[in-house]
């Protein structure tokens, strides 16, 4: 007779319904937001491509891809407003804040997605429902 080991605390294991491939693609959706630093429209095009190609395969990719895409569209609009406001110098301050916030939020979202958690960006307009 075998005795099953009992767990003594909460486990940090990823959710069972999010397989490793789905989590990796969700992480990639978020990380592609950094692509805008190299290729300006890349922060929107990267998540858009993954979301369009893989959203039917897994609900987690559909959810996180949509979330990443909504955030990157919101970020791009805020960036354009800040560039315009740079003409009156306040935009320079906003550009710095946006850059730091974008980096921190993308890292947080990627980390959550790698654990299989649904991440919600705090400042994001829901263009795609």
């Amino acid at each position: 007779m075998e005795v099953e080991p009992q767990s003594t605390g909460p486990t940090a294991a990823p959710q069972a319904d999010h397989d490793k491939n789905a989590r990796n693609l969700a992480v990639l959706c978020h990380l592609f937001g950094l692509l805008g630093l190299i290729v300006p429209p890349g922060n929107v095009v990267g998540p858009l491509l993954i979301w369009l190609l893989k959203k039917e395969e897994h609900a987690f990719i559909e959810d996180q891809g949509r979330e990443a895409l909504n955030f990157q569209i919101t970020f791009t609009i805020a960036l354009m407003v800040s560039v315009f406001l740079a003409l009156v110098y306040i935009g320079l301050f906003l550009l710095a804040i946006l850059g730091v916030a974008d980096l921190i939020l993308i890292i947080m979202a990627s980390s959550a997605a790698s654990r299989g958690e649904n991440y919600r960006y705090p400042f994001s307009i829901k263009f795609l429902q």
Side-chain angles (χ1 to χ4, degrees), residues 62-84:
E62 197 278 327
D63 177 66
Q64 291 301 289
R66 183 174 9 95
E67 188 68 23
L69 191 53
N70 281 331
F71 176 71
Q72 290 306 320
I73 293 170
T74 303
F75 174 75
T76 301
I77 292 169
L79 191 65
M80 288 189 291
V81 169
S82 295
V83 167
F84 178 73

mmCIF file with all atom_site columns, all heavy atoms in Angstrom, residues 62-84:
data_model
loop_
_atom_site.group_PDB
_atom_site.id
_atom_site.type_symbol
_atom_site.label_atom_id
_atom_site.label_alt_id
_atom_site.label_comp_id
_atom_site.label_asym_id
_atom_site.label_entity_id
_atom_site.label_seq_id
_atom_site.pdbx_PDB_ins_code
_atom_site.Cartn_x
_atom_site.Cartn_y
_atom_site.Cartn_z
_atom_site.occupancy
_atom_site.B_iso_or_equiv
_atom_site.pdbx_formal_charge
_atom_site.auth_seq_id
_atom_site.auth_comp_id
_atom_site.auth_asym_id
_atom_site.auth_atom_id
_atom_site.pdbx_PDB_model_num
ATOM 1   N N   . GLU A 1 62 ? -5.180  33.975 -26.427 1.00 0.00 ? 62 GLU A N   1
ATOM 2   C CA  . GLU A 1 62 ? -6.177  34.947 -26.878 1.00 0.00 ? 62 GLU A CA  1
ATOM 3   C C   . GLU A 1 62 ? -6.332  36.070 -25.861 1.00 0.00 ? 62 GLU A C   1
ATOM 4   O O   . GLU A 1 62 ? -6.327  37.243 -26.203 1.00 0.00 ? 62 GLU A O   1
ATOM 5   C CB  . GLU A 1 62 ? -7.523  34.240 -27.111 1.00 0.00 ? 62 GLU A CB  1
ATOM 6   C CG  . GLU A 1 62 ? -8.516  35.033 -27.940 1.00 0.00 ? 62 GLU A CG  1
ATOM 7   C CD  . GLU A 1 62 ? -9.277  36.056 -27.118 1.00 0.00 ? 62 GLU A CD  1
ATOM 8   O OE1 . GLU A 1 62 ? -9.551  35.805 -25.930 1.00 0.00 ? 62 GLU A OE1 1
ATOM 9   O OE2 . GLU A 1 62 ? -9.585  37.124 -27.658 1.00 0.00 ? 62 GLU A OE2 1
ATOM 10  N N   . ASP A 1 63 ? -6.413  35.711 -24.592 1.00 0.00 ? 63 ASP A N   1
ATOM 11  C CA  . ASP A 1 63 ? -6.602  36.696 -23.533 1.00 0.00 ? 63 ASP A CA  1
ATOM 12  C C   . ASP A 1 63 ? -5.369  37.584 -23.364 1.00 0.00 ? 63 ASP A C   1
ATOM 13  O O   . ASP A 1 63 ? -5.473  38.815 -23.370 1.00 0.00 ? 63 ASP A O   1
ATOM 14  C CB  . ASP A 1 63 ? -6.914  35.984 -22.215 1.00 0.00 ? 63 ASP A CB  1
ATOM 15  C CG  . ASP A 1 63 ? -7.045  36.958 -21.065 1.00 0.00 ? 63 ASP A CG  1
ATOM 16  O OD1 . ASP A 1 63 ? -7.999  37.766 -21.082 1.00 0.00 ? 63 ASP A OD1 1
ATOM 17  O OD2 . ASP A 1 63 ? -6.186  36.922 -20.160 1.00 0.00 ? 63 ASP A OD2 1
ATOM 18  N N   . GLN A 1 64 ? -4.210  36.990 -23.222 1.00 0.00 ? 64 GLN A N   1
ATOM 19  C CA  . GLN A 1 64 ? -3.004  37.770 -22.971 1.00 0.00 ? 64 GLN A CA  1
ATOM 20  C C   . GLN A 1 64 ? -2.537  38.533 -24.205 1.00 0.00 ? 64 GLN A C   1
ATOM 21  O O   . GLN A 1 64 ? -1.991  39.626 -24.098 1.00 0.00 ? 64 GLN A O   1
ATOM 22  C CB  . GLN A 1 64 ? -1.890  36.871 -22.427 1.00 0.00 ? 64 GLN A CB  1
ATOM 23  C CG  . GLN A 1 64 ? -2.174  36.371 -21.029 1.00 0.00 ? 64 GLN A CG  1
ATOM 24  C CD  . GLN A 1 64 ? -2.345  37.521 -20.061 1.00 0.00 ? 64 GLN A CD  1
ATOM 25  O OE1 . GLN A 1 64 ? -1.380  38.203 -19.712 1.00 0.00 ? 64 GLN A OE1 1
ATOM 26  N NE2 . GLN A 1 64 ? -3.568  37.765 -19.616 1.00 0.00 ? 64 GLN A NE2 1
ATOM 27  N N   . GLY A 1 65 ? -2.742  37.969 -25.384 1.00 0.00 ? 65 GLY A N   1
ATOM 28  C CA  . GLY A 1 65 ? -2.414  38.679 -26.618 1.00 0.00 ? 65 GLY A CA  1
ATOM 29  C C   . GLY A 1 65 ? -3.271  39.918 -26.786 1.00 0.00 ? 65 GLY A C   1
ATOM 30  O O   . GLY A 1 65 ? -2.784  40.993 -27.151 1.00 0.00 ? 65 GLY A O   1
ATOM 31  N N   . ARG A 1 66 ? -4.571  39.789 -26.491 1.00 0.00 ? 66 ARG A N   1
ATOM 32  C CA  . ARG A 1 66 ? -5.482  40.927 -26.560 1.00 0.00 ? 66 ARG A CA  1
ATOM 33  C C   . ARG A 1 66 ? -5.092  41.988 -25.531 1.00 0.00 ? 66 ARG A C   1
ATOM 34  O O   . ARG A 1 66 ? -5.086  43.186 -25.818 1.00 0.00 ? 66 ARG A O   1
ATOM 35  C CB  . ARG A 1 66 ? -6.920  40.464 -26.325 1.00 0.00 ? 66 ARG A CB  1
ATOM 36  C CG  . ARG A 1 66 ? -7.944  41.563 -26.456 1.00 0.00 ? 66 ARG A CG  1
ATOM 37  C CD  . ARG A 1 66 ? -9.396  41.097 -26.358 1.00 0.00 ? 66 ARG A CD  1
ATOM 38  N NE  . ARG A 1 66 ? -9.618  39.739 -25.964 1.00 0.00 ? 66 ARG A NE  1
ATOM 39  C CZ  . ARG A 1 66 ? -9.859  39.332 -24.705 1.00 0.00 ? 66 ARG A CZ  1
ATOM 40  N NH1 . ARG A 1 66 ? -9.885  40.216 -23.728 1.00 0.00 ? 66 ARG A NH1 1
ATOM 41  N NH2 . ARG A 1 66 ? -10.074 38.064 -24.431 1.00 0.00 ? 66 ARG A NH2 1
ATOM 42  N N   . GLU A 1 67 ? -4.738  41.545 -24.328 1.00 0.00 ? 67 GLU A N   1
ATOM 43  C CA  . GLU A 1 67 ? -4.332  42.477 -23.273 1.00 0.00 ? 67 GLU A CA  1
ATOM 44  C C   . GLU A 1 67 ? -3.050  43.227 -23.664 1.00 0.00 ? 67 GLU A C   1
ATOM 45  O O   . GLU A 1 67 ? -2.958  44.440 -23.492 1.00 0.00 ? 67 GLU A O   1
ATOM 46  C CB  . GLU A 1 67 ? -4.121  41.712 -21.964 1.00 0.00 ? 67 GLU A CB  1
ATOM 47  C CG  . GLU A 1 67 ? -3.891  42.585 -20.776 1.00 0.00 ? 67 GLU A CG  1
ATOM 48  C CD  . GLU A 1 67 ? -5.090  43.410 -20.361 1.00 0.00 ? 67 GLU A CD  1
ATOM 49  O OE1 . GLU A 1 67 ? -6.229  43.033 -20.686 1.00 0.00 ? 67 GLU A OE1 1
ATOM 50  O OE2 . GLU A 1 67 ? -4.880  44.454 -19.708 1.00 0.00 ? 67 GLU A OE2 1
ATOM 51  N N   . ALA A 1 68 ? -2.069  42.499 -24.194 1.00 0.00 ? 68 ALA A N   1
ATOM 52  C CA  . ALA A 1 68 ? -0.815  43.125 -24.619 1.00 0.00 ? 68 ALA A CA  1
ATOM 53  C C   . ALA A 1 68 ? -1.061  44.105 -25.768 1.00 0.00 ? 68 ALA A C   1
ATOM 54  O O   . ALA A 1 68 ? -0.498  45.203 -25.795 1.00 0.00 ? 68 ALA A O   1
ATOM 55  C CB  . ALA A 1 68 ? 0.193   42.061 -25.046 1.00 0.00 ? 68 ALA A CB  1
ATOM 56  N N   . LEU A 1 69 ? -1.907  43.721 -26.689 1.00 0.00 ? 69 LEU A N   1
ATOM 57  C CA  . LEU A 1 69 ? -2.208  44.573 -27.836 1.00 0.00 ? 69 LEU A CA  1
ATOM 58  C C   . LEU A 1 69 ? -2.936  45.848 -27.403 1.00 0.00 ? 69 LEU A C   1
ATOM 59  O O   . LEU A 1 69 ? -2.592  46.950 -27.844 1.00 0.00 ? 69 LEU A O   1
ATOM 60  C CB  . LEU A 1 69 ? -3.037  43.792 -28.850 1.00 0.00 ? 69 LEU A CB  1
ATOM 61  C CG  . LEU A 1 69 ? -3.230  44.396 -30.216 1.00 0.00 ? 69 LEU A CG  1
ATOM 62  C CD1 . LEU A 1 69 ? -1.898  44.763 -30.850 1.00 0.00 ? 69 LEU A CD1 1
ATOM 63  C CD2 . LEU A 1 69 ? -3.984  43.426 -31.102 1.00 0.00 ? 69 LEU A CD2 1
ATOM 64  N N   . ASN A 1 70 ? -3.919  45.725 -26.526 1.00 0.00 ? 70 ASN A N   1
ATOM 65  C CA  . ASN A 1 70 ? -4.622  46.902 -26.013 1.00 0.00 ? 70 ASN A CA  1
ATOM 66  C C   . ASN A 1 70 ? -3.651  47.854 -25.317 1.00 0.00 ? 70 ASN A C   1
ATOM 67  O O   . ASN A 1 70 ? -3.717  49.067 -25.502 1.00 0.00 ? 70 ASN A O   1
ATOM 68  C CB  . ASN A 1 70 ? -5.727  46.492 -25.026 1.00 0.00 ? 70 ASN A CB  1
ATOM 69  C CG  . ASN A 1 70 ? -6.973  46.009 -25.725 1.00 0.00 ? 70 ASN A CG  1
ATOM 70  O OD1 . ASN A 1 70 ? -7.285  46.423 -26.831 1.00 0.00 ? 70 ASN A OD1 1
ATOM 71  N ND2 . ASN A 1 70 ? -7.696  45.119 -25.076 1.00 0.00 ? 70 ASN A ND2 1
ATOM 72  N N   . PHE A 1 71 ? -2.750  47.297 -24.515 1.00 0.00 ? 71 PHE A N   1
ATOM 73  C CA  . PHE A 1 71 ? -1.793  48.150 -23.815 1.00 0.00 ? 71 PHE A CA  1
ATOM 74  C C   . PHE A 1 71 ? -0.851  48.844 -24.791 1.00 0.00 ? 71 PHE A C   1
ATOM 75  O O   . PHE A 1 71 ? -0.557  50.032 -24.647 1.00 0.00 ? 71 PHE A O   1
ATOM 76  C CB  . PHE A 1 71 ? -0.984  47.348 -22.793 1.00 0.00 ? 71 PHE A CB  1
ATOM 77  C CG  . PHE A 1 71 ? 0.078   48.170 -22.127 1.00 0.00 ? 71 PHE A CG  1
ATOM 78  C CD1 . PHE A 1 71 ? -0.252  49.162 -21.220 1.00 0.00 ? 71 PHE A CD1 1
ATOM 79  C CD2 . PHE A 1 71 ? 1.415   47.976 -22.427 1.00 0.00 ? 71 PHE A CD2 1
ATOM 80  C CE1 . PHE A 1 71 ? 0.723   49.952 -20.617 1.00 0.00 ? 71 PHE A CE1 1
ATOM 81  C CE2 . PHE A 1 71 ? 2.398   48.748 -21.832 1.00 0.00 ? 71 PHE A CE2 1
ATOM 82  C CZ  . PHE A 1 71 ? 2.056   49.736 -20.924 1.00 0.00 ? 71 PHE A CZ  1
ATOM 83  N N   . GLN A 1 72 ? -0.364  48.134 -25.786 1.00 0.00 ? 72 GLN A N   1
ATOM 84  C CA  . GLN A 1 72 ? 0.582   48.733 -26.727 1.00 0.00 ? 72 GLN A CA  1
ATOM 85  C C   . GLN A 1 72 ? -0.078  49.805 -27.591 1.00 0.00 ? 72 GLN A C   1
ATOM 86  O O   . GLN A 1 72 ? 0.551   50.800 -27.938 1.00 0.00 ? 72 GLN A O   1
ATOM 87  C CB  . GLN A 1 72 ? 1.245   47.657 -27.588 1.00 0.00 ? 72 GLN A CB  1
ATOM 88  C CG  . GLN A 1 72 ? 2.215   46.789 -26.815 1.00 0.00 ? 72 GLN A CG  1
ATOM 89  C CD  . GLN A 1 72 ? 3.268   47.600 -26.091 1.00 0.00 ? 72 GLN A CD  1
ATOM 90  O OE1 . GLN A 1 72 ? 3.802   48.580 -26.589 1.00 0.00 ? 72 GLN A OE1 1
ATOM 91  N NE2 . GLN A 1 72 ? 3.586   47.185 -24.871 1.00 0.00 ? 72 GLN A NE2 1
ATOM 92  N N   . ILE A 1 73 ? -1.347  49.627 -27.926 1.00 0.00 ? 73 ILE A N   1
ATOM 93  C CA  . ILE A 1 73 ? -2.063  50.678 -28.667 1.00 0.00 ? 73 ILE A CA  1
ATOM 94  C C   . ILE A 1 73 ? -2.224  51.906 -27.771 1.00 0.00 ? 73 ILE A C   1
ATOM 95  O O   . ILE A 1 73 ? -1.987  53.040 -28.202 1.00 0.00 ? 73 ILE A O   1
ATOM 96  C CB  . ILE A 1 73 ? -3.427  50.159 -29.169 1.00 0.00 ? 73 ILE A CB  1
ATOM 97  C CG1 . ILE A 1 73 ? -3.226  49.080 -30.241 1.00 0.00 ? 73 ILE A CG1 1
ATOM 98  C CG2 . ILE A 1 73 ? -4.261  51.313 -29.731 1.00 0.00 ? 73 ILE A CG2 1
ATOM 99  C CD1 . ILE A 1 73 ? -4.492  48.337 -30.622 1.00 0.00 ? 73 ILE A CD1 1
ATOM 100 N N   . THR A 1 74 ? -2.607  51.677 -26.509 1.00 0.00 ? 74 THR A N   1
ATOM 101 C CA  . THR A 1 74 ? -2.735  52.777 -25.546 1.00 0.00 ? 74 THR A CA  1
ATOM 102 C C   . THR A 1 74 ? -1.404  53.485 -25.367 1.00 0.00 ? 74 THR A C   1
ATOM 103 O O   . THR A 1 74 ? -1.334  54.727 -25.356 1.00 0.00 ? 74 THR A O   1
ATOM 104 C CB  . THR A 1 74 ? -3.237  52.243 -24.192 1.00 0.00 ? 74 THR A CB  1
ATOM 105 O OG1 . THR A 1 74 ? -4.477  51.571 -24.377 1.00 0.00 ? 74 THR A OG1 1
ATOM 106 C CG2 . THR A 1 74 ? -3.396  53.361 -23.180 1.00 0.00 ? 74 THR A CG2 1
ATOM 107 N N   . PHE A 1 75 ? -0.331  52.708 -25.226 1.00 0.00 ? 75 PHE A N   1
ATOM 108 C CA  . PHE A 1 75 ? 1.006   53.270 -25.052 1.00 0.00 ? 75 PHE A CA  1
ATOM 109 C C   . PHE A 1 75 ? 1.411   54.106 -26.271 1.00 0.00 ? 75 PHE A C   1
ATOM 110 O O   . PHE A 1 75 ? 1.976   55.194 -26.129 1.00 0.00 ? 75 PHE A O   1
ATOM 111 C CB  . PHE A 1 75 ? 2.017   52.151 -24.808 1.00 0.00 ? 75 PHE A CB  1
ATOM 112 C CG  . PHE A 1 75 ? 3.437   52.635 -24.754 1.00 0.00 ? 75 PHE A CG  1
ATOM 113 C CD1 . PHE A 1 75 ? 3.921   53.310 -23.642 1.00 0.00 ? 75 PHE A CD1 1
ATOM 114 C CD2 . PHE A 1 75 ? 4.292   52.427 -25.824 1.00 0.00 ? 75 PHE A CD2 1
ATOM 115 C CE1 . PHE A 1 75 ? 5.217   53.771 -23.595 1.00 0.00 ? 75 PHE A CE1 1
ATOM 116 C CE2 . PHE A 1 75 ? 5.596   52.882 -25.789 1.00 0.00 ? 75 PHE A CE2 1
ATOM 117 C CZ  . PHE A 1 75 ? 6.066   53.555 -24.668 1.00 0.00 ? 75 PHE A CZ  1
ATOM 118 N N   . THR A 1 76 ? 1.116   53.615 -27.459 1.00 0.00 ? 76 THR A N   1
ATOM 119 C CA  . THR A 1 76 ? 1.473   54.336 -28.680 1.00 0.00 ? 76 THR A CA  1
ATOM 120 C C   . THR A 1 76 ? 0.743   55.671 -28.765 1.00 0.00 ? 76 THR A C   1
ATOM 121 O O   . THR A 1 76 ? 1.338   56.696 -29.138 1.00 0.00 ? 76 THR A O   1
ATOM 122 C CB  . THR A 1 76 ? 1.172   53.465 -29.919 1.00 0.00 ? 76 THR A CB  1
ATOM 123 O OG1 . THR A 1 76 ? 1.923   52.252 -29.825 1.00 0.00 ? 76 THR A OG1 1
ATOM 124 C CG2 . THR A 1 76 ? 1.532   54.188 -31.204 1.00 0.00 ? 76 THR A CG2 1
ATOM 125 N N   . ILE A 1 77 ? -0.529  55.689 -28.391 1.00 0.00 ? 77 ILE A N   1
ATOM 126 C CA  . ILE A 1 77 ? -1.288  56.946 -28.383 1.00 0.00 ? 77 ILE A CA  1
ATOM 127 C C   . ILE A 1 77 ? -0.685  57.917 -27.366 1.00 0.00 ? 77 ILE A C   1
ATOM 128 O O   . ILE A 1 77 ? -0.490  59.098 -27.658 1.00 0.00 ? 77 ILE A O   1
ATOM 129 C CB  . ILE A 1 77 ? -2.780  56.674 -28.087 1.00 0.00 ? 77 ILE A CB  1
ATOM 130 C CG1 . ILE A 1 77 ? -3.409  55.931 -29.268 1.00 0.00 ? 77 ILE A CG1 1
ATOM 131 C CG2 . ILE A 1 77 ? -3.525  57.976 -27.807 1.00 0.00 ? 77 ILE A CG2 1
ATOM 132 C CD1 . ILE A 1 77 ? -4.789  55.393 -28.992 1.00 0.00 ? 77 ILE A CD1 1
ATOM 133 N N   . ALA A 1 78 ? -0.381  57.425 -26.165 1.00 0.00 ? 78 ALA A N   1
ATOM 134 C CA  . ALA A 1 78 ? 0.229   58.271 -25.134 1.00 0.00 ? 78 ALA A CA  1
ATOM 135 C C   . ALA A 1 78 ? 1.586   58.794 -25.587 1.00 0.00 ? 78 ALA A C   1
ATOM 136 O O   . ALA A 1 78 ? 1.950   59.943 -25.313 1.00 0.00 ? 78 ALA A O   1
ATOM 137 C CB  . ALA A 1 78 ? 0.368   57.495 -23.829 1.00 0.00 ? 78 ALA A CB  1
ATOM 138 N N   . LEU A 1 79 ? 2.334   57.962 -26.295 1.00 0.00 ? 79 LEU A N   1
ATOM 139 C CA  . LEU A 1 79 ? 3.642   58.366 -26.811 1.00 0.00 ? 79 LEU A CA  1
ATOM 140 C C   . LEU A 1 79 ? 3.498   59.494 -27.833 1.00 0.00 ? 79 LEU A C   1
ATOM 141 O O   . LEU A 1 79 ? 4.253   60.473 -27.797 1.00 0.00 ? 79 LEU A O   1
ATOM 142 C CB  . LEU A 1 79 ? 4.341   57.151 -27.425 1.00 0.00 ? 79 LEU A CB  1
ATOM 143 C CG  . LEU A 1 79 ? 5.796   57.291 -27.779 1.00 0.00 ? 79 LEU A CG  1
ATOM 144 C CD1 . LEU A 1 79 ? 6.617   57.504 -26.513 1.00 0.00 ? 79 LEU A CD1 1
ATOM 145 C CD2 . LEU A 1 79 ? 6.269   56.032 -28.493 1.00 0.00 ? 79 LEU A CD2 1
ATOM 146 N N   . MET A 1 80 ? 2.518   59.369 -28.723 1.00 0.00 ? 80 MET A N   1
ATOM 147 C CA  . MET A 1 80 ? 2.309   60.412 -29.721 1.00 0.00 ? 80 MET A CA  1
ATOM 148 C C   . MET A 1 80 ? 1.890   61.724 -29.076 1.00 0.00 ? 80 MET A C   1
ATOM 149 O O   . MET A 1 80 ? 2.360   62.799 -29.481 1.00 0.00 ? 80 MET A O   1
ATOM 150 C CB  . MET A 1 80 ? 1.268   59.954 -30.755 1.00 0.00 ? 80 MET A CB  1
ATOM 151 C CG  . MET A 1 80 ? 1.793   58.874 -31.681 1.00 0.00 ? 80 MET A CG  1
ATOM 152 S SD  . MET A 1 80 ? 0.701   58.480 -33.057 1.00 0.00 ? 80 MET A SD  1
ATOM 153 C CE  . MET A 1 80 ? -0.652  57.692 -32.238 1.00 0.00 ? 80 MET A CE  1
ATOM 154 N N   . VAL A 1 81 ? 1.046   61.659 -28.063 1.00 0.00 ? 81 VAL A N   1
ATOM 155 C CA  . VAL A 1 81 ? 0.635   62.876 -27.345 1.00 0.00 ? 81 VAL A CA  1
ATOM 156 C C   . VAL A 1 81 ? 1.842   63.499 -26.649 1.00 0.00 ? 81 VAL A C   1
ATOM 157 O O   . VAL A 1 81 ? 2.030   64.724 -26.673 1.00 0.00 ? 81 VAL A O   1
ATOM 158 C CB  . VAL A 1 81 ? -0.492  62.559 -26.332 1.00 0.00 ? 81 VAL A CB  1
ATOM 159 C CG1 . VAL A 1 81 ? -0.743  63.725 -25.393 1.00 0.00 ? 81 VAL A CG1 1
ATOM 160 C CG2 . VAL A 1 81 ? -1.764  62.168 -27.064 1.00 0.00 ? 81 VAL A CG2 1
ATOM 161 N N   . SER A 1 82 ? 2.686   62.671 -26.052 1.00 0.00 ? 82 SER A N   1
ATOM 162 C CA  . SER A 1 82 ? 3.873   63.179 -25.359 1.00 0.00 ? 82 SER A CA  1
ATOM 163 C C   . SER A 1 82 ? 4.853   63.831 -26.322 1.00 0.00 ? 82 SER A C   1
ATOM 164 O O   . SER A 1 82 ? 5.474   64.849 -25.992 1.00 0.00 ? 82 SER A O   1
ATOM 165 C CB  . SER A 1 82 ? 4.570   62.052 -24.602 1.00 0.00 ? 82 SER A CB  1
ATOM 166 O OG  . SER A 1 82 ? 3.743   61.580 -23.581 1.00 0.00 ? 82 SER A OG  1
ATOM 167 N N   . VAL A 1 83 ? 5.009   63.242 -27.490 1.00 0.00 ? 83 VAL A N   1
ATOM 168 C CA  . VAL A 1 83 ? 5.898   63.839 -28.492 1.00 0.00 ? 83 VAL A CA  1
ATOM 169 C C   . VAL A 1 83 ? 5.360   65.201 -28.907 1.00 0.00 ? 83 VAL A C   1
ATOM 170 O O   . VAL A 1 83 ? 6.112   66.174 -29.034 1.00 0.00 ? 83 VAL A O   1
ATOM 171 C CB  . VAL A 1 83 ? 6.061   62.896 -29.709 1.00 0.00 ? 83 VAL A CB  1
ATOM 172 C CG1 . VAL A 1 83 ? 6.696   63.611 -30.881 1.00 0.00 ? 83 VAL A CG1 1
ATOM 173 C CG2 . VAL A 1 83 ? 6.877   61.677 -29.320 1.00 0.00 ? 83 VAL A CG2 1
ATOM 174 N N   . PHE A 1 84 ? 4.064   65.301 -29.099 1.00 0.00 ? 84 PHE A N   1
ATOM 175 C CA  . PHE A 1 84 ? 3.461   66.595 -29.441 1.00 0.00 ? 84 PHE A CA  1
ATOM 176 C C   . PHE A 1 84 ? 3.663   67.600 -28.305 1.00 0.00 ? 84 PHE A C   1
ATOM 177 O O   . PHE A 1 84 ? 3.983   68.763 -28.537 1.00 0.00 ? 84 PHE A O   1
ATOM 178 C CB  . PHE A 1 84 ? 1.967   66.406 -29.737 1.00 0.00 ? 84 PHE A CB  1
ATOM 179 C CG  . PHE A 1 84 ? 1.258   67.685 -30.048 1.00 0.00 ? 84 PHE A CG  1
ATOM 180 C CD1 . PHE A 1 84 ? 1.453   68.326 -31.258 1.00 0.00 ? 84 PHE A CD1 1
ATOM 181 C CD2 . PHE A 1 84 ? 0.400   68.258 -29.126 1.00 0.00 ? 84 PHE A CD2 1
ATOM 182 C CE1 . PHE A 1 84 ? 0.810   69.521 -31.541 1.00 0.00 ? 84 PHE A CE1 1
ATOM 183 C CE2 . PHE A 1 84 ? -0.251  69.448 -29.396 1.00 0.00 ? 84 PHE A CE2 1
ATOM 184 C CZ  . PHE A 1 84 ? -0.047  70.080 -30.609 1.00 0.00 ? 84 PHE A CZ  1
#
